[in-house]
Amino acid sequence: MSCPLLWQGAVVLRRRPIRPERRRPADVVAAVAIVVVLVVAAVVYGTHSPLAGTESVPAAGPGTAPQAPLDVPDAFAEAWRAPSSAAPLPVTAGPGVVTADGGTVTGRDATTGAERWHYTRDRQLCTVAEGFGRVLALYHDEEHCNELAALDGDLGTRKDQRTVDARPGARLLTSGSQVVVTGPDHTEAMRSDLVKTLEYGAITAPAQPGRQPRSGCTYHSFAATAGRLGVVESCPTDTVDRITVLRPDGGGDADTPQITFSSRLPETGAQVVALSAERTAVVLPGPPELQILDAEGAQVSLVGLDIPESEVAPPPDGVAVTASDTQRTYWWSGSSTIALDRTALAPLWTLKGTLGPGTSYAGQWVVPVPRGLAVVDPTRGVVRRTVPVDRGGYSGSVALAAKGDVLVEQRGTEAVALRPAG
C-alpha cells in the first residue's frame, strides 16, 4: 500500500501514470469525417449566408431628430442631397433619413446629411422601405430578390433577417406590424420579426400542395392596410380582372391563404389604390371610375374620376402612389392628387397639375407642384399658397417625407433634403 511522503511540509501522493486511450482506426476515420463536414459547412455558410460579403458599421450612439416646425416657411433651401436609387419613396427611420444606393443602406443625420451608419452587401439592393421603426432592405441573390434584412433605424444594427421568394421589381409594403413583399405571381407577408404569416400564388416546392385557391394567376396591383391586403389579379379561368382581399396576418398555416373575399371586376386593367378596415377602392378603366367595395366585396358606390384614362392602369411596380394623414388617403394618379376619406374611401377633392401625393408638414398638407410646394387645405383641396422650390430642371414625379423641419424630396434616383431658409 502506498503511503504519503512528507517533504518540506507538503504532502505528495504517489499516483499511477494515466496512459492515453488508444483509438481504433474506425474511430479516427469517423472523427476526421466529422471535422471535414464541419469545415465544409462553415465554408458554405461563410460564402452563402447573409454574413458573407457584409460590412455593418453602426452609429456611435443614438441620434437626435430635428425640431418639429411651427409653420410652413415662405422659402426652403437645399440642405443636402445623396444618391438613393433603390428607394421608391423617401425613407425616414429613427431620428434621421435613410438613403439606399447600389448595395449600401446609409443612415444620415436629417439636418446635415452626414453619415451616421451604413450597412453594405456585396450585391445590389432590390428595394428598401421603413416599417415599425426599422429599415427593411431587400437584396438580390443571383436573379431573384430573396435576402431581407431588418435594420435598427437609429443605430443601423441588423435585427432580423430571412429568405423570401421575390423577383426584381418587388416592393415592400408596410402597415401596422406587417410587411408584404409583392411579386408578379407570388406575394408573401411577415410579422415585424420577419416570421412568415402568408404566402399567396405560385409557391416553390410547397410543403402541402393544393392549398392555394387558384393557379396560373398574375398579379398587377397591390395595396395594404392594417390586417388587409388587396391584390388585383388575372387568372386563366377569368376573362376579366379579379380583386382579392386577404388577411396578411394569417390565422393558420402561412401557405393556406386566409381570403376575406375575391370578386370579379367589370374589366381588365384595374388597380387597387386604397383599403380601410371595411372598404376597398379600385380604379376601373373605360371612363375612369372609382369602385368602392364593402367588406364582403359588394359594390357600395361607383364614382367618376376627372383623370386621363391613361392613368387608370397600375404603375409598373404595381403599387399606387399614396400618402395618408389621420383623416384622408391621398392618391397621385400621375397628374393629379385625389383625396379620399380614410374610412369610407369616397373621393373628397381633386387637385390637378401635381407631381406627387404630398405629405404632412407643420400640421398642414404640402403637395409638390412644378413651381415648388403647394400648401393645401386638406378639407377642401384649395391651395392656400405656393412655396417656390428650384429643382434645377427636374420635372419628374416627387415623393415627399418630413423629419422634423427637414422636408425630403425623392426625385427619381436622388434624395434631396430641404430646410426652412433664413
Side-chain angles (χ1 to χ4, degrees):
M1 178 176 181
S2 298
C3 298
L5 298 179
L6 296 178
W7 179 69
Q8 293 183 352
V11 178
V12 179
L13 298 178
R14 297 182 185 274
R15 294 176 179 169
R16 296 179 63 184
I18 299 174
R19 296 178 180 177
E21 181 182 353
R22 297 184 65 183
R23 296 196 177 195
R24 294 171 297 176
D27 294 334
V28 174
V29 172
V32 171
I34 291 173
V35 171
V36 170
V37 170
L38 291 175
V39 170
V40 171
V43 170
V44 171
Y45 181 78
T47 55
H48 294 279
S49 78
L51 296 176
T54 299
E55 180 184 74
S56 179
V57 179
T64 302
Q67 292 185 346
L70 299 178
D71 197 1
V72 180
D74 293 330
F76 281 100
E78 183 175 319
W80 56 269
R81 64 173 59 204
S84 194
S85 60
L89 303 171
V91 179
T92 58
V97 176
V98 174
T99 57
D101 194 66
T104 301
V105 183
T106 305
R108 301 182 182 276
D109 180 277
T111 302
T112 66
E115 178 181 313
R116 297 186 55 249
W117 58 263
H118 75 257
Y119 180 86
T120 300
R121 295 293 313 277
D122 60 350
R123 54 198 60 191
Q124 294 292 303
L125 283 157
C126 292
T127 189
V128 296
E130 185 278 333
F132 14 93
R134 297 181 177 183
V135 182
L136 303 173
L138 182 61
Y139 281 90
H140 278 281
D141 183 6
E142 298 177 352
E143 72 271 16
H144 292 168
C145 299
N146 59 7
E147 294 186 7
L148 180 63
L151 311 174
D152 182 89
D154 186 5
L155 301 178
T157 52
R158 188 174 59 197
K159 294 300 183 181
D160 298 295
Q161 64 186 42
R162 78 162 297 118
T163 299
V164 299
D165 186 7
R167 304 290 184 270
R171 286 282 302 272
L172 299 172
L173 307 182
T174 60
S175 182
S177 60
Q178 297 287 136
V179 55
V180 174
V181 185
T182 69
D185 60 0
H186 172 269
T187 185
E188 59 187 271
M190 291 155 280
R191 300 190 315 231
S192 58
D193 58 2
L194 303 190
V195 172
K196 187 185 298 183
T197 55
L198 167 72
E199 278 194 292
Y200 185 61
I203 300 176
T204 303
Q208 299 186 54
R211 294 196 168 193
Q212 295 294 319
R214 285 169 293 279
S215 62
C217 302
T218 55
Y219 307 145
H220 309 294
S221 180
F222 303 84
T225 191
R228 304 182 81 214
L229 168 64
V231 181
V232 174
E233 53 185 311
S234 298
C235 299
T237 56
D238 296 327
T239 58
V240 294
D241 283 348
R242 173 184 293 271
I243 174 68
T244 301
V245 174
L246 307 106
R247 288 182 51 191
D249 52 357
D253 294 335
D255 60 353
T256 305
Q258 303 297 304
I259 298 176
T260 303
F261 72 81
S262 186
S263 302
R264 291 182 178 86
L265 295 168
E267 303 286 346
T268 59
Q271 70 164 310
V272 55
V273 296
L275 289 90
S276 66
E278 298 291 334
R279 296 287 186 268
T280 302
V282 180
V283 180
L284 301 177
E289 295 177 308
L290 187 70
Q291 183 184 46
I292 301 175
L293 308 173
D294 66 14
E296 285 73 43
Q299 179 175 299
V300 174
S301 60
L302 191 63
V303 184
L305 297 173
D306 188 12
I307 62 171
E309 189 171 349
S310 60
E311 296 179 354
V312 170
D317 62 11
V319 179
V321 183
T322 63
S324 298
D325 59 19
T326 58
Q327 295 182 304
R328 286 159 289 271
T329 293
Y330 303 85
W331 168 52
W332 185 62
S333 68
S335 65
S336 300
T337 298
I338 301 171
L340 310 175
D341 180 90
R342 192 164 181 176
T343 301
L345 301 185
L348 302 173
W349 49 261
T350 299
L351 181 63
K352 293 186 176 184
T354 63
L355 302 178
T359 194
S360 180
Y361 186 94
Q364 303 183 66
W365 197 255
V366 178
V367 178
V369 294
R371 293 186 298 120
L373 297 163
V375 182
V376 180
D377 178 349
T379 304
R380 299 178 298 151
V382 176
V383 177
R384 293 168 173 164
R385 58 192 174 98
T386 298
V387 180
V389 173
D390 182 6
R391 299 190 177 99
Y394 177 82
S395 58
S397 63
V398 176
L400 297 180
K403 177 60 66 174
D405 67 349
V406 177
L407 192 63
V408 185
E409 292 194 345
Q410 183 74 29
R411 304 177 189 169
T413 61
E414 196 169 43
V416 181
L418 308 174
R419 293 199 68 202

PDB file of all heavy atoms in Angstrom, residues 13 16 44 62 69 99 134 140 149 168 198 214 242 262 284 312 357 364 371:
ATOM      1  N   LEU A  13       1.329  12.644  -3.064  1.00  0.00           N
ATOM      2  CA  LEU A  13       0.661  11.360  -3.253  1.00  0.00           C
ATOM      3  C   LEU A  13       1.283  10.627  -4.415  1.00  0.00           C
ATOM      4  O   LEU A  13       1.521  11.199  -5.492  1.00  0.00           O
ATOM      5  CB  LEU A  13      -0.843  11.571  -3.517  1.00  0.00           C
ATOM      6  CG  LEU A  13      -1.628  12.241  -2.399  1.00  0.00           C
ATOM      7  CD1 LEU A  13      -3.072  12.411  -2.847  1.00  0.00           C
ATOM      8  CD2 LEU A  13      -1.566  11.415  -1.131  1.00  0.00           C
ATOM      9  N   ARG A  16      -0.497   6.392 -10.054  1.00  0.00           N
ATOM     10  CA  ARG A  16      -0.129   5.681 -11.276  1.00  0.00           C
ATOM     11  C   ARG A  16      -0.281   6.629 -12.464  1.00  0.00           C
ATOM     12  O   ARG A  16      -1.239   7.400 -12.545  1.00  0.00           O
ATOM     13  CB  ARG A  16      -1.019   4.455 -11.455  1.00  0.00           C
ATOM     14  CG  ARG A  16      -0.845   3.423 -10.345  1.00  0.00           C
ATOM     15  CD  ARG A  16      -1.763   2.256 -10.580  1.00  0.00           C
ATOM     16  NE  ARG A  16      -1.422   1.574 -11.825  1.00  0.00           N
ATOM     17  CZ  ARG A  16      -2.136   0.545 -12.311  1.00  0.00           C
ATOM     18  NH1 ARG A  16      -3.203   0.114 -11.668  1.00  0.00           N
ATOM     19  NH2 ARG A  16      -1.771  -0.035 -13.440  1.00  0.00           N
ATOM     20  N   VAL A  44     -19.438  26.775 -46.692  1.00  0.00           N
ATOM     21  CA  VAL A  44     -20.689  27.050 -47.398  1.00  0.00           C
ATOM     22  C   VAL A  44     -21.442  28.177 -46.720  1.00  0.00           C
ATOM     23  O   VAL A  44     -21.937  29.108 -47.367  1.00  0.00           O
ATOM     24  CB  VAL A  44     -21.554  25.772 -47.465  1.00  0.00           C
ATOM     25  CG1 VAL A  44     -22.942  26.094 -47.992  1.00  0.00           C
ATOM     26  CG2 VAL A  44     -20.883  24.742 -48.357  1.00  0.00           C
ATOM     27  N   PRO A  62     -26.983  57.020 -30.082  1.00  0.00           N
ATOM     28  CA  PRO A  62     -28.294  57.471 -30.557  1.00  0.00           C
ATOM     29  C   PRO A  62     -28.225  58.845 -31.212  1.00  0.00           C
ATOM     30  O   PRO A  62     -27.437  59.715 -30.815  1.00  0.00           O
ATOM     31  CB  PRO A  62     -29.141  57.505 -29.275  1.00  0.00           C
ATOM     32  CG  PRO A  62     -28.428  56.601 -28.329  1.00  0.00           C
ATOM     33  CD  PRO A  62     -26.972  56.736 -28.648  1.00  0.00           C
ATOM     34  N   PRO A  69     -41.390  71.697 -37.044  1.00  0.00           N
ATOM     35  CA  PRO A  69     -41.656  73.074 -37.474  1.00  0.00           C
ATOM     36  C   PRO A  69     -42.971  73.587 -36.906  1.00  0.00           C
ATOM     37  O   PRO A  69     -43.891  72.811 -36.630  1.00  0.00           O
ATOM     38  CB  PRO A  69     -41.732  72.946 -38.996  1.00  0.00           C
ATOM     39  CG  PRO A  69     -42.246  71.545 -39.219  1.00  0.00           C
ATOM     40  CD  PRO A  69     -41.652  70.717 -38.113  1.00  0.00           C
ATOM     41  N   THR A  99     -30.819  56.640 -46.965  1.00  0.00           N
ATOM     42  CA  THR A  99     -30.695  56.536 -48.410  1.00  0.00           C
ATOM     43  C   THR A  99     -30.200  55.131 -48.750  1.00  0.00           C
ATOM     44  O   THR A  99     -29.577  54.457 -47.931  1.00  0.00           O
ATOM     45  CB  THR A  99     -29.727  57.587 -48.982  1.00  0.00           C
ATOM     46  OG1 THR A  99     -28.434  57.447 -48.361  1.00  0.00           O
ATOM     47  CG2 THR A  99     -30.262  58.988 -48.736  1.00  0.00           C
ATOM     48  N   ARG A 134     -38.019  50.374 -38.223  1.00  0.00           N
ATOM     49  CA  ARG A 134     -36.833  49.743 -38.786  1.00  0.00           C
ATOM     50  C   ARG A 134     -36.718  50.032 -40.278  1.00  0.00           C
ATOM     51  O   ARG A 134     -37.690  50.429 -40.920  1.00  0.00           O
ATOM     52  CB  ARG A 134     -36.858  48.235 -38.549  1.00  0.00           C
ATOM     53  CG  ARG A 134     -36.819  47.845 -37.075  1.00  0.00           C
ATOM     54  CD  ARG A 134     -36.818  46.348 -36.899  1.00  0.00           C
ATOM     55  NE  ARG A 134     -36.717  45.976 -35.493  1.00  0.00           N
ATOM     56  CZ  ARG A 134     -36.646  44.728 -35.052  1.00  0.00           C
ATOM     57  NH1 ARG A 134     -36.684  43.733 -35.921  1.00  0.00           N
ATOM     58  NH2 ARG A 134     -36.546  44.476 -33.766  1.00  0.00           N
ATOM     59  N   HIS A 140     -30.591  41.465 -53.908  1.00  0.00           N
ATOM     60  CA  HIS A 140     -30.518  40.475 -54.977  1.00  0.00           C
ATOM     61  C   HIS A 140     -29.716  39.269 -54.526  1.00  0.00           C
ATOM     62  O   HIS A 140     -28.724  39.392 -53.821  1.00  0.00           O
ATOM     63  CB  HIS A 140     -29.821  41.061 -56.217  1.00  0.00           C
ATOM     64  CG  HIS A 140     -30.702  41.870 -57.100  1.00  0.00           C
ATOM     65  ND1 HIS A 140     -31.572  41.302 -58.000  1.00  0.00           N
ATOM     66  CD2 HIS A 140     -30.851  43.211 -57.230  1.00  0.00           C
ATOM     67  CE1 HIS A 140     -32.206  42.268 -58.657  1.00  0.00           C
ATOM     68  NE2 HIS A 140     -31.794  43.436 -58.198  1.00  0.00           N
ATOM     69  N   ALA A 149     -33.289  41.973 -44.833  1.00  0.00           N
ATOM     70  CA  ALA A 149     -32.700  42.304 -43.538  1.00  0.00           C
ATOM     71  C   ALA A 149     -33.462  43.474 -42.921  1.00  0.00           C
ATOM     72  O   ALA A 149     -33.845  44.418 -43.618  1.00  0.00           O
ATOM     73  CB  ALA A 149     -31.223  42.674 -43.697  1.00  0.00           C
ATOM     74  N   PRO A 168     -37.023  40.742 -59.182  1.00  0.00           N
ATOM     75  CA  PRO A 168     -36.683  42.151 -59.373  1.00  0.00           C
ATOM     76  C   PRO A 168     -37.928  42.973 -59.681  1.00  0.00           C
ATOM     77  O   PRO A 168     -38.807  42.533 -60.421  1.00  0.00           O
ATOM     78  CB  PRO A 168     -35.714  42.117 -60.557  1.00  0.00           C
ATOM     79  CG  PRO A 168     -35.081  40.757 -60.481  1.00  0.00           C
ATOM     80  CD  PRO A 168     -36.171  39.847 -59.991  1.00  0.00           C
ATOM     81  N   LEU A 198     -48.075  34.654 -44.420  1.00  0.00           N
ATOM     82  CA  LEU A 198     -48.918  34.449 -45.605  1.00  0.00           C
ATOM     83  C   LEU A 198     -48.052  34.192 -46.821  1.00  0.00           C
ATOM     84  O   LEU A 198     -47.043  34.873 -47.029  1.00  0.00           O
ATOM     85  CB  LEU A 198     -49.791  35.687 -45.867  1.00  0.00           C
ATOM     86  CG  LEU A 198     -50.490  35.752 -47.234  1.00  0.00           C
ATOM     87  CD1 LEU A 198     -51.632  34.744 -47.319  1.00  0.00           C
ATOM     88  CD2 LEU A 198     -50.993  37.157 -47.536  1.00  0.00           C
ATOM     89  N   ARG A 214     -56.235  29.327 -56.518  1.00  0.00           N
ATOM     90  CA  ARG A 214     -56.182  29.354 -57.977  1.00  0.00           C
ATOM     91  C   ARG A 214     -54.730  29.212 -58.410  1.00  0.00           C
ATOM     92  O   ARG A 214     -53.816  29.546 -57.650  1.00  0.00           O
ATOM     93  CB  ARG A 214     -56.747  30.694 -58.512  1.00  0.00           C
ATOM     94  CG  ARG A 214     -58.261  30.808 -58.437  1.00  0.00           C
ATOM     95  CD  ARG A 214     -58.729  32.223 -58.716  1.00  0.00           C
ATOM     96  NE  ARG A 214     -58.315  33.151 -57.676  1.00  0.00           N
ATOM     97  CZ  ARG A 214     -58.954  33.294 -56.515  1.00  0.00           C
ATOM     98  NH1 ARG A 214     -60.031  32.564 -56.266  1.00  0.00           N
ATOM     99  NH2 ARG A 214     -58.527  34.145 -55.614  1.00  0.00           N
ATOM    100  N   ARG A 242     -59.712  40.280 -61.324  1.00  0.00           N
ATOM    101  CA  ARG A 242     -60.313  39.866 -60.056  1.00  0.00           C
ATOM    102  C   ARG A 242     -59.637  40.657 -58.930  1.00  0.00           C
ATOM    103  O   ARG A 242     -58.420  40.837 -58.932  1.00  0.00           O
ATOM    104  CB  ARG A 242     -60.097  38.371 -59.866  1.00  0.00           C
ATOM    105  CG  ARG A 242     -60.509  37.810 -58.513  1.00  0.00           C
ATOM    106  CD  ARG A 242     -60.147  36.340 -58.417  1.00  0.00           C
ATOM    107  NE  ARG A 242     -60.935  35.527 -59.334  1.00  0.00           N
ATOM    108  CZ  ARG A 242     -62.104  34.992 -59.031  1.00  0.00           C
ATOM    109  NH1 ARG A 242     -62.623  35.182 -57.822  1.00  0.00           N
ATOM    110  NH2 ARG A 242     -62.761  34.266 -59.911  1.00  0.00           N
ATOM    111  N   SER A 262     -63.054  37.457 -52.768  1.00  0.00           N
ATOM    112  CA  SER A 262     -62.448  37.515 -54.086  1.00  0.00           C
ATOM    113  C   SER A 262     -63.574  37.702 -55.093  1.00  0.00           C
ATOM    114  O   SER A 262     -64.451  36.833 -55.212  1.00  0.00           O
ATOM    115  CB  SER A 262     -61.655  36.240 -54.381  1.00  0.00           C
ATOM    116  OG  SER A 262     -60.954  36.350 -55.601  1.00  0.00           O
ATOM    117  N   LEU A 284     -61.325  51.720 -62.112  1.00  0.00           N
ATOM    118  CA  LEU A 284     -61.732  50.932 -63.268  1.00  0.00           C
ATOM    119  C   LEU A 284     -61.483  51.712 -64.555  1.00  0.00           C
ATOM    120  O   LEU A 284     -61.623  52.938 -64.595  1.00  0.00           O
ATOM    121  CB  LEU A 284     -63.224  50.573 -63.175  1.00  0.00           C
ATOM    122  CG  LEU A 284     -63.660  49.766 -61.949  1.00  0.00           C
ATOM    123  CD1 LEU A 284     -65.173  49.571 -61.972  1.00  0.00           C
ATOM    124  CD2 LEU A 284     -62.945  48.426 -61.901  1.00  0.00           C
ATOM    125  N   VAL A 312     -55.323  55.143 -65.454  1.00  0.00           N
ATOM    126  CA  VAL A 312     -56.093  54.135 -64.721  1.00  0.00           C
ATOM    127  C   VAL A 312     -55.232  52.910 -64.423  1.00  0.00           C
ATOM    128  O   VAL A 312     -55.274  52.344 -63.322  1.00  0.00           O
ATOM    129  CB  VAL A 312     -57.348  53.730 -65.510  1.00  0.00           C
ATOM    130  CG1 VAL A 312     -58.012  52.516 -64.874  1.00  0.00           C
ATOM    131  CG2 VAL A 312     -58.317  54.899 -65.591  1.00  0.00           C
ATOM    132  N   PRO A 357     -48.331  62.798 -54.231  1.00  0.00           N
ATOM    133  CA  PRO A 357     -49.468  62.911 -53.314  1.00  0.00           C
ATOM    134  C   PRO A 357     -49.274  63.914 -52.200  1.00  0.00           C
ATOM    135  O   PRO A 357     -50.247  64.439 -51.662  1.00  0.00           O
ATOM    136  CB  PRO A 357     -49.594  61.485 -52.755  1.00  0.00           C
ATOM    137  CG  PRO A 357     -48.219  60.929 -52.848  1.00  0.00           C
ATOM    138  CD  PRO A 357     -47.603  61.528 -54.082  1.00  0.00           C
ATOM    139  N   GLN A 364     -49.941  70.824 -41.690  1.00  0.00           N
ATOM    140  CA  GLN A 364     -50.619  71.175 -42.933  1.00  0.00           C
ATOM    141  C   GLN A 364     -50.245  70.141 -44.001  1.00  0.00           C
ATOM    142  O   GLN A 364     -49.318  69.343 -43.819  1.00  0.00           O
ATOM    143  CB  GLN A 364     -50.231  72.587 -43.376  1.00  0.00           C
ATOM    144  CG  GLN A 364     -50.541  73.638 -42.302  1.00  0.00           C
ATOM    145  CD  GLN A 364     -50.223  75.046 -42.773  1.00  0.00           C
ATOM    146  OE1 GLN A 364     -50.845  75.568 -43.691  1.00  0.00           O
ATOM    147  NE2 GLN A 364     -49.246  75.676 -42.127  1.00  0.00           N
ATOM    148  N   ARG A 371     -43.870  74.342 -59.743  1.00  0.00           N
ATOM    149  CA  ARG A 371     -43.202  75.571 -59.287  1.00  0.00           C
ATOM    150  C   ARG A 371     -42.675  75.473 -57.868  1.00  0.00           C
ATOM    151  O   ARG A 371     -42.021  76.406 -57.395  1.00  0.00           O
ATOM    152  CB  ARG A 371     -44.163  76.757 -59.409  1.00  0.00           C
ATOM    153  CG  ARG A 371     -44.511  77.112 -60.851  1.00  0.00           C
ATOM    154  CD  ARG A 371     -45.335  78.374 -60.944  1.00  0.00           C
ATOM    155  NE  ARG A 371     -46.624  78.241 -60.259  1.00  0.00           N
ATOM    156  CZ  ARG A 371     -47.020  79.002 -59.250  1.00  0.00           C
ATOM    157  NH1 ARG A 371     -46.228  79.954 -58.785  1.00  0.00           N
ATOM    158  NH2 ARG A 371     -48.218  78.821 -58.705  1.00  0.00           N
TER     159      ARG A 371
END
